Amino acid sequence: MTNDNVFNVAAYFIESNLTQGRSEKIAFYYQNQIYTYGQVSSFVRRSARLLANLGIEQENRIAILLSDSPEFVFAFWGAIWLGAVPVPINTTCSLDEIQYILQDSRAKLLLTTQEWQEKLAPIQSKYLRHILLKDGESAYLSLLNQEDELLPCAETSPDEPAFWLYTSGSTGRPKGVIHLHQSMMVCAEKYGRATLGLCQDDITYSVAKMPFAYGLGNTLYMPMAVGAASVLSDASNGFDIIVDIQRYRPTILFGIPSVYAGILALAEIAPLDVSSLRLCASAAEQLPKSIWQQWLETYNHEICEGIGTTEFLHIFLSNQIGKCKPGSSGRPIPGYDVQILNDDGVPCPPGEIGNLQVRGESLMLGYWKRLQQTRKAIYGDTMRTGDKYLRDADGYFYFMGRNDDLFKVNGQWISPMEIEDILHQHPQILEVAVVAESSSEEQLTQIVAYISLKPGQAATPEMEMNIRKFAKQQLPHFKAPKTVYFVEKLPRTSTGKIHRKLLSKDSSLRVSISL
C-alpha cells in the first residue's frame, strides 16, 4: 500500500511475512499441530470471507470468547482484514461481565465454544445476529475450509479503530478501550524489537492470554512483527506450564508474578527445564524482590519486570537483561515519556511518591461511551494512569500502588507493596495481599494481610503467630499487619491482578484456622 493514509495492520503483518519468504516458517504451535505463516494467511483471508458472507461489514464489532487457539488468531486477524473490529473477551470474566460486554460493544457476531454458549443462554444482547462455534458439527475451521480466499483487505487508516479490549472492571463495569491500527506496530517496534531484541528465531510462551493486552502482544502481534513463533496454550497452573515449556522449548517466557511464585513452589518436585529460555519477563502487577531473587538463585535467570496498561496496549516501563533492579518496573522504553508528578502537576524529585503520567503513540483513542472518563484520563497523547510511583536516582521506577491502594497509619502514607515484599520472604507464604481496613469500633485504619500458603502448609494458630512475629521483626511496628487471614488463593481480576477490594468485602474467601 503506497497511500500513507491507508494501512491495515492485519494485511501488513501477514503480507510482510510472506514477502520475506516465511510462508513455510512456523508461526504457531497448538497442541499437536503447527501452523505456518502461509497457512495463517490462508485461514485469515477465509475468515474475512466468511464474516463478509454473514453480513458483517466494516466497523461492525465481532466478539471472540475463546481460550488461546488457532480459531482466535484467524477470527481476530480476519475481522481486521475485513475492516471489522474484533472484541476479545477474557474467559475468566463472570457470566454477568460477558453479557454486559456483548451488549455494551453491540457485537453482531460471537465466536465461542458450545460450552460457553450453553452457560450464557439466553444471551442478552439485542444486537447479536450470529453465533459461530469453535467446536461441534459446523466447527469454525470446517466453515473456513469451505470459503475461498479472494477478498482484498479493507483500505483502513492507521488512525481508525482496529480492535477493542475491555478492562478488568475491578472498580466498576469493564470499560471498552479502543485501539488503532497503528498501535500494535508501535508496541512491536518499541518493546518487542528494541527492548527485548525479539527476532525470527524466537518462540514465545505467554502465561497471560490474548484477551489481556499483555498476552495479545506476547502471543499474537509482536512475534508476527518479526516472523517469530508463539505457543497457543490454555495452561494456567504451574504443573501444566512446566510441561508446556519442556514440550515446546520456547526462548522467551512471558510470566506474571503469581506464576513465577507457583513454579518456584514446585521446584523440588517438578523443576522447570530452562535450557531453551534466553529471557524471562513479567508484568500485570509488581514482582516481589524475594521472588526475583529466588528465581535467579534457582534457575540462573533474571526476570525482566515491566509495566503497561490496557490503555497503552503494552509495556512502557521495563527492565532489561543485565540491567535489572529487582522490585522496580524498570526504566522508560524508547518512544515513551514517563514522569512522576505531584498533585499540582510538578515533577517529583527522586525518592518522592507521586502520580504516574505517560506519553506515547500507542495510547488508546478513548473509552467506548465514556467521554468524561476519557477526558479525565487523557489529554493529547498523554495519560494519567492512576498509579502511584517513585523514581530513584538512577531513573528506575517503583510501583507504590494504585491511587486508592495507599493508606495512612500514624499520619504516614504506606504502600502495601512494601509490606507484601517483606512477607513474601517468609518461607511458608506463597502469595500475600495487604489492605487497609477500618476498625468499626475505633474508626482506625488497620493493616490486614491476606495470605495463601505454599502446598503442604496448614493454616493454624501457630502459623498465624509465626507470620505476625516475622512481620514485627522485619517491619516498623506501625507497618506490621494487625490481622492475618488465610485464603486458599487470592481473588483476581480477569486480567490476573489481585482483586484487593473483594478481599475485604467477601469474608467467605477466608480459610478457617485449624486448631
Side-chain angles (χ1 to χ4, degrees):
M1 298 180 184
T2 57
N3 188 340
D4 290 341
N5 294 319
V6 175
F7 178 76
N8 184 298
V9 70
Y12 175 83
F13 280 129
I14 288 164
E15 291 177 351
S16 63
N17 279 296
L18 299 186
T19 57
Q20 293 182 50
R22 299 188 186 121
S23 178
E24 299 303 314
K25 188 178 183 305
I26 295 172
F28 296 98
Y29 294 89
Y30 178 68
Q31 298 178 359
N32 295 321
Q33 304 160 24
I34 59 170
Y35 291 88
T36 66
Y37 275 101
Q39 290 173 313
V40 170
S41 172
S42 174
F43 278 118
V44 167
R45 295 165 194 257
R46 292 171 191 269
S47 289
R49 170 65 74 184
L50 173 61
L51 295 174
N53 289 345
L54 290 171
I56 301 300
E57 299 176 340
Q58 197 161 336
E59 298 180 19
N60 287 170
R61 267 82 72 188
I62 74 159
I64 305 172
L65 177 62
L66 293 175
S67 59
D68 286 10
S69 59
E71 291 87 350
F72 186 116
V73 173
F74 305 149
F76 184 90
W77 286 128
I80 295 177
W81 184 281
L82 182 64
V85 179
V87 182
I89 303 177
N90 202 315
T91 56
T92 61
C93 286
S94 67
L95 293 178
D96 177 65
E97 287 173 331
I98 294 170
Q99 296 277 21
Y100 171 79
I101 292 170
L102 289 173
Q103 178 75 14
D104 183 68
S105 67
R106 301 176 188 160
K108 293 191 174 181
L109 181 146
L110 169 65
L111 173 60
T112 189
T113 63
Q114 188 168 346
E115 181 182 4
W116 269 111
Q117 183 190 25
E118 292 170 357
K119 286 181 183 178
L120 290 165
I123 294 177
Q124 299 158 5
S125 174
K126 62 184 179 182
Y127 305 101
L128 199 63
R129 295 178 186 169
H130 305 283
I131 298 177
L132 298 180
L133 300 181
K134 173 187 173 184
D135 39 28
E137 293 183 6
S138 56
Y140 189 68
L141 289 183
S142 298
L143 293 175
L144 296 187
N145 284 322
Q146 299 170 28
E147 301 290 340
D148 63 53
E149 302 178 26
L150 302 177
L151 186 72
C153 70
E155 294 189 352
T156 48
S157 161
D159 293 333
E160 75 175 86
F163 61 98
W164 295 7
L165 296 172
Y166 272 81
T167 62
S168 60
S170 59
T171 57
R173 286 291 195 180
K175 298 189 291 289
V177 175
I178 303 171
H179 277 292
L180 310 178
H181 279 259
Q182 68 169 358
S183 299
M184 288 189 277
M185 290 293 299
V186 173
C187 297
E189 181 61 34
K190 304 300 185 184
Y191 180 67
R193 198 191 303 264
T195 303
L196 300 184
L198 199 62
C199 66
Q200 67 174 4
D201 295 329
D202 279 315
I203 301 173
T204 69
Y205 184 93
S206 178
V207 171
K209 306 310 175 192
M210 287 190 286
F212 180 16
Y214 179 48
L216 188 71
N218 303 341
T219 300
L220 191 64
Y221 63 85
M222 289 199 301
M224 287 189 71
V226 297
S230 59
V231 177
L232 302 173
S233 171
D234 61 358
S236 58
N237 66 69
F239 277 115
D240 290 343
I241 292 167
I242 289 168
V243 170
D244 270 353
I245 291 173
Q246 186 165 339
R247 175 181 185 180
Y248 296 110
R249 310 286 296 158
T251 60
I252 300 178
L253 170 60
F254 290 104
I256 59 177
S258 61
V259 165
Y260 282 113
I263 292 174
L264 283 168
L266 298 171
E268 291 187 7
I269 58 173
L272 177 67
D273 180 359
V274 298
S275 58
S276 67
L277 295 175
R278 72 168 183 84
L279 188 147
C280 298
S282 182
E285 56 189 347
Q286 187 184 34
L287 181 73
K289 289 182 189 177
S290 56
I291 300 298
W292 191 96
Q293 195 62 45
Q294 287 177 51
W295 191 264
L296 179 64
E297 293 170 358
T298 306
Y299 293 117
N300 197 31
H301 272 280
E302 296 177 304
I303 299 175
C304 295
E305 184 179 3
I307 192 72
T309 64
T310 306
E311 290 84 354
F312 273 100
L313 187 55
H314 216 270
I315 304 296
F316 49 75
L317 285 171
S318 180
N319 284 275
Q320 291 181 276
I321 293 177
K323 301 176 184 177
C324 289
K325 272 199 177 184
S328 84
S329 300
R331 293 184 286 193
I333 70 169
Y336 290 87
D337 177 53
V338 186
Q339 296 187 59
I340 301 171
L341 309 177
N342 66 19
D343 292 339
D344 295 324
V346 177
C348 294
E352 182 178 305
I353 297 175
N355 307 302
L356 192 71
Q357 178 176 286
V358 184
R359 186 171 77 234
E361 293 180 1
S362 64
L363 181 59
M364 66 176 180
L365 179 64
Y367 298 119
W368 170 244
K369 296 194 302 186
R370 307 281 186 99
L371 178 61
Q372 293 307 314
Q373 286 179 280
T374 299
R375 287 181 171 169
K376 187 176 180 181
I378 67 175
Y379 52 101
D381 58 355
T382 302
M383 178 178 180
R384 305 175 186 92
T385 67
D387 294 317
K388 293 288 188 182
Y389 261 82
L390 66 78
R391 177 175 55 87
D392 69 14
D394 297 322
Y396 285 80
F397 286 68
Y398 292 80
F399 180 57
M400 295 289 110
R402 295 287 294 170
N403 281 346
D404 53 358
D405 286 341
L406 274 70
F407 49 86
K408 272 189 174 181
V409 175
N410 288 1
Q412 295 191 44
W413 282 110
I414 292 178
S415 166
M417 311 300 161
E418 176 189 359
I419 303 170
E420 290 169 4
D421 191 56
I422 293 296
L423 290 175
H424 267 111
Q425 297 172 26
H426 189 283
Q428 273 77 50
I429 291 178
L430 178 62
E431 287 192 291
V432 59
V434 168
V435 298
E437 296 181 1
S438 296
S439 166
S440 57
E441 297 177 358
E442 303 173 6
Q443 292 298 307
L444 296 174
T445 298
Q446 292 196 345
I447 299 174
V448 179
Y450 288 84
I451 289 169
S452 65
L453 297 170
K454 290 181 178 178
Q457 303 298 323
T460 63
E462 291 76 19
M463 179 67 77
E464 179 185 0
M465 291 300 296
N466 181 277
I467 289 172
R468 291 182 63 184
K469 181 179 178 182
F470 176 84
K472 289 178 180 178
Q473 290 173 341
Q474 303 293 323
L475 290 161
H477 69 92
F478 65 92
K479 293 185 180 181
K482 298 294 186 290
T483 305
V484 171
Y485 292 122
F486 294 105
V487 295
E488 289 287 348
K489 60 180 180 179
L490 295 176
R492 295 185 177 275
T493 67
S494 59
T495 54
K497 297 179 181 179
I498 295 173
H499 204 319
R500 295 176 188 275
K501 289 183 172 57
L502 197 60
L503 287 167
S504 299
K505 290 179 181 178
D506 191 352
S507 60
S508 66
L509 295 168
R510 300 168 190 170
V511 174
S512 297
I513 295 180
S514 53
L515 299 174

Short mmCIF file of all heavy atoms in Angstrom, two decimals, residues 150-196:
data_model
loop_
_atom_site.label_atom_id
_atom_site.label_comp_id
_atom_site.label_asym_id
_atom_site.label_seq_id
_atom_site.Cartn_x
_atom_site.Cartn_y
_atom_site.Cartn_z
N LEU A 150 -10.38 -15.10 -1.98
CA LEU A 150 -10.31 -13.92 -2.84
C LEU A 150 -11.09 -12.75 -2.26
O LEU A 150 -12.18 -12.42 -2.71
CB LEU A 150 -10.82 -14.28 -4.25
CG LEU A 150 -10.06 -15.43 -4.93
CD1 LEU A 150 -10.67 -15.74 -6.27
CD2 LEU A 150 -8.59 -15.06 -5.10
N LEU A 151 -10.52 -12.14 -1.24
CA LEU A 151 -11.13 -10.96 -0.65
C LEU A 151 -10.04 -9.96 -0.32
O LEU A 151 -9.21 -10.22 0.56
CB LEU A 151 -11.90 -11.34 0.63
CG LEU A 151 -12.71 -10.21 1.26
CD1 LEU A 151 -13.95 -9.90 0.40
CD2 LEU A 151 -13.13 -10.55 2.67
N PRO A 152 -9.99 -8.84 -1.03
CA PRO A 152 -8.95 -7.86 -0.73
C PRO A 152 -9.16 -7.27 0.67
O PRO A 152 -10.29 -7.19 1.16
CB PRO A 152 -9.13 -6.80 -1.81
CG PRO A 152 -10.56 -6.94 -2.24
CD PRO A 152 -10.89 -8.40 -2.10
N CYS A 153 -8.07 -6.86 1.30
CA CYS A 153 -8.21 -6.29 2.65
C CYS A 153 -8.86 -4.92 2.57
O CYS A 153 -8.78 -4.22 1.56
CB CYS A 153 -6.84 -6.20 3.32
SG CYS A 153 -5.74 -4.95 2.61
N ALA A 154 -9.52 -4.54 3.64
CA ALA A 154 -10.17 -3.23 3.71
C ALA A 154 -9.11 -2.14 3.73
O ALA A 154 -8.06 -2.28 4.37
CB ALA A 154 -11.04 -3.15 4.96
N GLU A 155 -9.37 -1.05 3.03
CA GLU A 155 -8.43 0.07 3.00
C GLU A 155 -8.69 0.97 4.20
O GLU A 155 -9.26 2.05 4.09
CB GLU A 155 -8.57 0.83 1.67
CG GLU A 155 -8.13 0.00 0.47
CD GLU A 155 -8.05 0.81 -0.80
OE1 GLU A 155 -8.48 1.99 -0.79
OE2 GLU A 155 -7.55 0.30 -1.81
N THR A 156 -8.23 0.50 5.33
CA THR A 156 -8.42 1.24 6.58
C THR A 156 -7.30 2.26 6.78
O THR A 156 -6.29 2.26 6.05
CB THR A 156 -8.44 0.27 7.77
OG1 THR A 156 -7.32 -0.62 7.65
CG2 THR A 156 -9.70 -0.57 7.78
N SER A 157 -7.46 3.10 7.79
CA SER A 157 -6.48 4.13 8.11
C SER A 157 -5.69 3.73 9.34
O SER A 157 -6.22 3.03 10.22
CB SER A 157 -7.21 5.46 8.38
OG SER A 157 -6.38 6.35 9.10
N PRO A 158 -4.43 4.14 9.45
CA PRO A 158 -3.66 3.85 10.67
C PRO A 158 -4.29 4.48 11.91
O PRO A 158 -4.05 4.04 13.03
CB PRO A 158 -2.28 4.44 10.39
CG PRO A 158 -2.47 5.42 9.27
CD PRO A 158 -3.61 4.89 8.47
N ASP A 159 -5.13 5.51 11.70
CA ASP A 159 -5.71 6.23 12.83
C ASP A 159 -7.15 5.82 13.13
O ASP A 159 -7.83 6.50 13.91
CB ASP A 159 -5.68 7.74 12.56
CG ASP A 159 -4.28 8.29 12.51
OD1 ASP A 159 -3.39 7.69 13.16
OD2 ASP A 159 -4.04 9.31 11.84
N GLU A 160 -7.64 4.73 12.57
CA GLU A 160 -9.00 4.32 12.87
C GLU A 160 -9.00 3.06 13.75
O GLU A 160 -8.01 2.34 13.81
CB GLU A 160 -9.81 4.09 11.60
CG GLU A 160 -9.50 2.82 10.84
CD GLU A 160 -10.45 2.63 9.65
OE1 GLU A 160 -10.17 3.18 8.56
OE2 GLU A 160 -11.48 1.94 9.84
N PRO A 161 -10.09 2.82 14.46
CA PRO A 161 -10.13 1.66 15.37
C PRO A 161 -9.89 0.35 14.65
O PRO A 161 -10.46 0.09 13.58
CB PRO A 161 -11.55 1.73 15.95
CG PRO A 161 -11.93 3.17 15.88
CD PRO A 161 -11.30 3.67 14.59
N ALA A 162 -9.04 -0.49 15.26
CA ALA A 162 -8.76 -1.83 14.72
C ALA A 162 -9.37 -2.90 15.61
O ALA A 162 -9.85 -3.93 15.12
CB ALA A 162 -7.25 -2.04 14.61
N PHE A 163 -9.34 -2.69 16.94
CA PHE A 163 -9.87 -3.68 17.88
C PHE A 163 -10.13 -3.00 19.21
O PHE A 163 -9.63 -1.91 19.48
CB PHE A 163 -8.87 -4.84 18.06
CG PHE A 163 -7.53 -4.43 18.60
CD1 PHE A 163 -7.22 -4.56 19.95
CD2 PHE A 163 -6.55 -3.88 17.76
CE1 PHE A 163 -5.99 -4.16 20.45
CE2 PHE A 163 -5.32 -3.48 18.25
CZ PHE A 163 -5.04 -3.61 19.60
N TRP A 164 -10.94 -3.66 20.02
CA TRP A 164 -11.20 -3.20 21.38
C TRP A 164 -10.70 -4.23 22.37
O TRP A 164 -10.69 -5.43 22.09
CB TRP A 164 -12.69 -3.02 21.64
CG TRP A 164 -13.39 -1.97 20.86
CD1 TRP A 164 -12.90 -1.21 19.83
CD2 TRP A 164 -14.75 -1.56 21.03
NE1 TRP A 164 -13.86 -0.36 19.36
CE2 TRP A 164 -15.01 -0.56 20.07
CE3 TRP A 164 -15.76 -1.95 21.90
CZ2 TRP A 164 -16.26 0.05 19.97
CZ3 TRP A 164 -17.00 -1.34 21.79
CH2 TRP A 164 -17.25 -0.34 20.84
N LEU A 165 -10.29 -3.74 23.53
CA LEU A 165 -10.02 -4.61 24.69
C LEU A 165 -10.78 -4.04 25.87
O LEU A 165 -10.83 -2.82 26.04
CB LEU A 165 -8.52 -4.64 25.01
CG LEU A 165 -7.59 -5.24 23.95
CD1 LEU A 165 -6.13 -5.01 24.35
CD2 LEU A 165 -7.86 -6.72 23.76
N TYR A 166 -11.35 -4.92 26.67
CA TYR A 166 -12.08 -4.46 27.86
C TYR A 166 -11.19 -4.55 29.09
O TYR A 166 -10.46 -5.53 29.26
CB TYR A 166 -13.37 -5.26 28.05
CG TYR A 166 -14.55 -4.66 27.31
CD1 TYR A 166 -14.72 -4.90 25.95
CD2 TYR A 166 -15.44 -3.81 27.95
CE1 TYR A 166 -15.78 -4.32 25.25
CE2 TYR A 166 -16.50 -3.22 27.27
CZ TYR A 166 -16.67 -3.48 25.92
OH TYR A 166 -17.71 -2.90 25.24
N THR A 167 -11.27 -3.52 29.93
CA THR A 167 -10.53 -3.53 31.20
C THR A 167 -11.15 -4.56 32.13
O THR A 167 -12.25 -5.08 31.88
CB THR A 167 -10.58 -2.15 31.87
OG1 THR A 167 -11.95 -1.83 32.16
CG2 THR A 167 -9.99 -1.08 30.96
N SER A 168 -10.45 -4.85 33.23
CA SER A 168 -10.88 -5.93 34.13
C SER A 168 -12.12 -5.59 34.93
O SER A 168 -12.79 -6.48 35.44
CB SER A 168 -9.74 -6.28 35.08
OG SER A 168 -9.39 -5.16 35.87
N GLY A 169 -12.45 -4.32 35.07
CA GLY A 169 -13.66 -3.95 35.78
C GLY A 169 -13.58 -4.08 37.29
O GLY A 169 -14.60 -4.25 37.95
N SER A 170 -12.37 -4.00 37.87
CA SER A 170 -12.22 -4.16 39.32
C SER A 170 -12.80 -2.98 40.09
O SER A 170 -13.08 -3.08 41.27
CB SER A 170 -10.75 -4.34 39.68
OG SER A 170 -9.99 -3.23 39.25
N THR A 171 -12.98 -1.84 39.43
CA THR A 171 -13.54 -0.67 40.09
C THR A 171 -14.86 -0.25 39.45
O THR A 171 -15.20 0.93 39.41
CB THR A 171 -12.55 0.51 40.05
OG1 THR A 171 -12.22 0.78 38.67
CG2 THR A 171 -11.28 0.20 40.81
N GLY A 172 -15.60 -1.20 38.92
CA GLY A 172 -16.86 -0.90 38.26
C GLY A 172 -17.01 -1.78 37.03
O GLY A 172 -16.30 -2.77 36.86
N ARG A 173 -17.94 -1.41 36.16
CA ARG A 173 -18.16 -2.17 34.93
C ARG A 173 -16.91 -2.12 34.04
O ARG A 173 -16.21 -1.09 34.00
CB ARG A 173 -19.35 -1.59 34.17
CG ARG A 173 -20.70 -1.92 34.77
CD ARG A 173 -21.00 -3.40 34.63
NE ARG A 173 -22.41 -3.70 34.87
CZ ARG A 173 -22.92 -4.93 34.80
NH1 ARG A 173 -22.13 -5.96 34.53
NH2 ARG A 173 -24.20 -5.15 35.01
N PRO A 174 -16.63 -3.19 33.29
CA PRO A 174 -15.49 -3.16 32.36
C PRO A 174 -15.66 -2.01 31.35
O PRO A 174 -16.79 -1.70 30.94
CB PRO A 174 -15.57 -4.52 31.66
CG PRO A 174 -16.33 -5.40 32.61
CD PRO A 174 -17.31 -4.51 33.31
N LYS A 175 -14.55 -1.41 30.98
CA LYS A 175 -14.57 -0.31 30.01
C LYS A 175 -13.97 -0.78 28.69
O LYS A 175 -12.92 -1.43 28.67
CB LYS A 175 -13.77 0.90 30.52
CG LYS A 175 -14.33 1.51 31.80
CD LYS A 175 -13.65 2.82 32.15
CE LYS A 175 -12.20 2.65 32.58
NZ LYS A 175 -12.08 2.02 33.91
N GLY A 176 -14.62 -0.44 27.58
CA GLY A 176 -14.11 -0.78 26.26
C GLY A 176 -13.02 0.19 25.85
O GLY A 176 -13.26 1.40 25.72
N VAL A 177 -11.80 -0.32 25.66
CA VAL A 177 -10.65 0.50 25.27
C VAL A 177 -10.44 0.35 23.76
O VAL A 177 -10.23 -0.75 23.26
CB VAL A 177 -9.39 0.07 26.04
CG1 VAL A 177 -8.17 0.83 25.56
CG2 VAL A 177 -9.59 0.27 27.54
N ILE A 178 -10.52 1.46 23.05
CA ILE A 178 -10.47 1.45 21.59
C ILE A 178 -9.04 1.68 21.12
O ILE A 178 -8.43 2.72 21.44
CB ILE A 178 -11.40 2.54 21.02
CG1 ILE A 178 -12.83 2.34 21.52
CG2 ILE A 178 -11.35 2.53 19.49
CD1 ILE A 178 -13.76 3.49 21.19
N HIS A 179 -8.50 0.71 20.36
CA HIS A 179 -7.13 0.83 19.85
C HIS A 179 -7.10 0.92 18.33
O HIS A 179 -7.95 0.36 17.64
CB HIS A 179 -6.28 -0.36 20.31
CG HIS A 179 -5.72 -0.18 21.69
ND1 HIS A 179 -4.77 0.77 21.98
CD2 HIS A 179 -5.99 -0.82 22.86
CE1 HIS A 179 -4.47 0.71 23.27
NE2 HIS A 179 -5.21 -0.24 23.83
N LEU A 180 -6.10 1.61 17.83
CA LEU A 180 -5.98 1.92 16.41
C LEU A 180 -5.11 0.91 15.68
O LEU A 180 -4.37 0.14 16.29
CB LEU A 180 -5.38 3.33 16.25
CG LEU A 180 -6.04 4.44 17.07
CD1 LEU A 180 -5.31 5.76 16.86
CD2 LEU A 180 -7.52 4.57 16.72
N HIS A 181 -5.16 0.96 14.36
CA HIS A 181 -4.35 0.06 13.54
C HIS A 181 -2.86 0.26 13.79
O HIS A 181 -2.08 -0.69 13.74
CB HIS A 181 -4.66 0.28 12.05
CG HIS A 181 -5.88 -0.41 11.58
ND1 HIS A 181 -5.85 -1.60 10.87
CD2 HIS A 181 -7.20 -0.12 11.73
CE1 HIS A 181 -7.08 -1.99 10.59
NE2 HIS A 181 -7.92 -1.10 11.10
N GLN A 182 -2.45 1.49 14.09
CA GLN A 182 -1.02 1.75 14.26
C GLN A 182 -0.47 1.27 15.61
O GLN A 182 0.73 1.11 15.77
CB GLN A 182 -0.75 3.24 14.13
CG GLN A 182 -1.35 4.07 15.28
CD GLN A 182 -0.88 5.50 15.29
OE1 GLN A 182 -0.07 5.91 14.46
NE2 GLN A 182 -1.38 6.29 16.23
N SER A 183 -1.36 1.06 16.61
CA SER A 183 -0.90 0.82 17.98
C SER A 183 -0.03 -0.43 18.09
O SER A 183 0.99 -0.42 18.80
CB SER A 183 -2.10 0.70 18.92
OG SER A 183 -2.86 1.88 18.93
N MET A 184 -0.42 -1.52 17.42
CA MET A 184 0.36 -2.75 17.51
C MET A 184 1.75 -2.58 16.91
O MET A 184 2.72 -3.16 17.39
CB MET A 184 -0.39 -3.90 16.85
CG MET A 184 -1.58 -4.38 17.65
SD MET A 184 -2.34 -5.89 17.03
CE MET A 184 -3.38 -5.23 15.76
N MET A 185 1.84 -1.78 15.86
CA MET A 185 3.14 -1.52 15.25
C MET A 185 4.08 -0.82 16.24
O MET A 185 5.26 -1.15 16.34
CB MET A 185 2.96 -0.66 14.00
CG MET A 185 2.30 -1.37 12.85
SD MET A 185 3.34 -2.67 12.19
CE MET A 185 4.75 -1.71 11.67
N VAL A 186 3.53 0.15 16.96
CA VAL A 186 4.34 0.91 17.92
C VAL A 186 4.88 -0.02 19.01
O VAL A 186 6.08 -0.02 19.31
CB VAL A 186 3.50 2.04 18.57
CG1 VAL A 186 4.29 2.72 19.68
CG2 VAL A 186 3.08 3.05 17.51
N CYS A 187 4.00 -0.84 19.60
CA CYS A 187 4.42 -1.73 20.69
C CYS A 187 5.40 -2.80 20.20
O CYS A 187 6.36 -3.13 20.90
CB CYS A 187 3.21 -2.38 21.33
SG CYS A 187 2.08 -1.21 22.10
N ALA A 188 5.14 -3.34 19.02
CA ALA A 188 6.02 -4.37 18.47
C ALA A 188 7.42 -3.83 18.24
O ALA A 188 8.42 -4.51 18.48
CB ALA A 188 5.44 -4.92 17.17
N GLU A 189 7.51 -2.59 17.78
CA GLU A 189 8.81 -1.99 17.49
C GLU A 189 9.53 -1.53 18.76
O GLU A 189 10.70 -1.86 18.98
CB GLU A 189 8.63 -0.81 16.54
CG GLU A 189 9.94 -0.11 16.15
CD GLU A 189 10.91 -1.03 15.43
OE1 GLU A 189 10.44 -1.91 14.67
OE2 GLU A 189 12.13 -0.88 15.63
N LYS A 190 8.81 -0.81 19.64
CA LYS A 190 9.45 -0.19 20.79
C LYS A 190 9.78 -1.20 21.90
O LYS A 190 10.83 -1.12 22.52
CB LYS A 190 8.55 0.92 21.37
CG LYS A 190 8.15 2.00 20.38
CD LYS A 190 9.34 2.73 19.80
CE LYS A 190 8.89 3.88 18.91
NZ LYS A 190 10.03 4.56 18.25
N TYR A 191 8.87 -2.14 22.14
CA TYR A 191 9.12 -3.11 23.21
C TYR A 191 9.64 -4.43 22.65
O TYR A 191 10.70 -4.92 23.07
CB TYR A 191 7.85 -3.35 24.01
CG TYR A 191 8.03 -4.36 25.14
CD1 TYR A 191 8.84 -4.07 26.24
CD2 TYR A 191 7.40 -5.60 25.10
CE1 TYR A 191 9.02 -4.99 27.27
CE2 TYR A 191 7.56 -6.52 26.14
CZ TYR A 191 8.37 -6.21 27.21
OH TYR A 191 8.55 -7.13 28.22
N GLY A 192 8.93 -5.00 21.68
CA GLY A 192 9.32 -6.31 21.17
C GLY A 192 10.72 -6.31 20.56
O GLY A 192 11.58 -7.10 20.96
N ARG A 193 10.94 -5.43 19.61
CA ARG A 193 12.22 -5.43 18.90
C ARG A 193 13.31 -4.66 19.63
O ARG A 193 14.40 -5.18 19.88
CB ARG A 193 12.02 -4.86 17.49
CG ARG A 193 13.15 -5.20 16.52
CD ARG A 193 13.03 -4.40 15.24
NE ARG A 193 11.78 -4.58 14.57
CZ ARG A 193 11.56 -5.44 13.56
NH1 ARG A 193 12.55 -6.22 13.16
NH2 ARG A 193 10.38 -5.52 12.97
N ALA A 194 13.01 -3.41 20.03
CA ALA A 194 14.06 -2.54 20.59
C ALA A 194 14.43 -2.90 22.03
O ALA A 194 15.59 -2.77 22.42
CB ALA A 194 13.61 -1.08 20.51
N THR A 195 13.46 -3.36 22.83
CA THR A 195 13.74 -3.63 24.25
C THR A 195 14.09 -5.09 24.50
O THR A 195 15.04 -5.40 25.22
CB THR A 195 12.53 -3.23 25.11
OG1 THR A 195 12.23 -1.85 24.87
CG2 THR A 195 12.81 -3.42 26.59
N LEU A 196 13.32 -6.01 23.91
CA LEU A 196 13.56 -7.44 24.14
C LEU A 196 14.49 -8.08 23.10
O LEU A 196 14.98 -9.18 23.31
CB LEU A 196 12.23 -8.20 24.13
CG LEU A 196 11.18 -7.80 25.16
CD1 LEU A 196 9.98 -8.73 25.06
CD2 LEU A 196 11.76 -7.82 26.57
#
